[in-house]
């Protein structure tokens, strides 16, 4: 079990900071990106797009996303807590990134009715910081699975 102590309060604070950063960058994009800004030519463009669907714009009703997202966050969090070593910094980082990404997009969806994407690489669907958090969390879980899996390597304890 994960005890609430000073060390874990820092991780919770870091999670809150990441959510705030995500929402702040979405607000900045909505407020100031009235037209596309080429950062690295057409390779990287900052431009606002609204995603009413799920990941990579799969069309799902907004109400389904508002109720389904917390369930997915809870299920994935439960899996990580049950199958990974909670003392590992990799597990804690993946958990914080996953929760922050899910909450950032959920809050944005509730406020706006859609998720604000604004980072557009020419070869990849448009995304935001919350999406990046989720992607990095998944990468950490996959790349460091051997280091963070429980003694039974992924089966429930």
């Amino acid at each position: 079990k994960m005890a609430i102590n000073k060390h874990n309060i820092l991780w919770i604070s870091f999670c809150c900071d990441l959510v705030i950063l995500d929402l702040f960058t979405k607000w900045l994009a909505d407020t100031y990106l009235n037209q596309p800004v080429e950062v690295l030519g057409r390779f990287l463009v900052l431009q606002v797009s609204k995603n009413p669907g799920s990941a990579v714009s799969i069309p799902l009703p907004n109400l389904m996303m508002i109720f389904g997202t917390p369930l997915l966050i809870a299920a994935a969090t439960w899996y990580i807590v049950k199958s990974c070593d909670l003392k590992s910094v990799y597990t804690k980082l993946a958990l914080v990134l996953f929760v922050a990404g899910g909450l950032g997009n959920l809050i944005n969806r509730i406020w706006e009715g859609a998720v604000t994407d604004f980072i557009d690489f020419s070869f990849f669907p448009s995304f935001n910081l919350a999406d990046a958090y989720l992607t990095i969390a998944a990468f950490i879980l996959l790349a460091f699975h051997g280091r963070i899996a429980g003694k039974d390597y992924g089966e429930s304890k």
Side-chain angles (χ1 to χ4, degrees), residues 4-67:
I4 301 295
N5 58 37
K6 287 181 185 179
H7 185 70
N8 289 331
I9 298 268
L10 290 175
W11 284 104
I12 293 167
S13 175
F14 181 47
C15 183
C16 292
D17 291 343
L18 290 175
V19 172
I20 291 167
L21 179 62
D22 171 63
L23 295 173
F24 180 65
T25 58
K26 289 172 181 169
W27 174 82
L28 285 173
D30 278 334
T31 304
Y32 296 106
L33 282 177
N34 300 322
Q35 53 188 329
V37 174
E38 291 185 359
V39 177
L40 295 172
R42 294 178 197 255
F43 179 74
L44 173 59
V45 177
L46 300 179
Q47 62 183 351
V48 174
S49 64
K50 298 294 182 173
N51 179 358
S54 63
V56 294
S57 299
I58 296 170
L60 292 174
N62 197 40
L63 193 58
M64 181 184 284
M65 292 300 299
I66 288 172
F67 288 108

Side-chain angles (χ1 to χ4, degrees), residues 83-97:
S83 65
C84 297
D85 176 11
L86 293 178
K87 293 179 183 172
S88 168
V89 69
Y90 297 115
T91 301
K92 290 178 181 180
L93 182 58
L95 197 54
V96 162
L97 289 168

Side-chain angles (χ1 to χ4, degrees), residues 37 51 57 60 69-70 73 75 77 82 114 117 121 135 145:
V37 174
N51 179 358
S57 299
L60 292 174
T69 300
I73 292 170
T77 301
K82 294 298 274 182
D117 292 325
F121 283 99
T135 303
H145 182 265

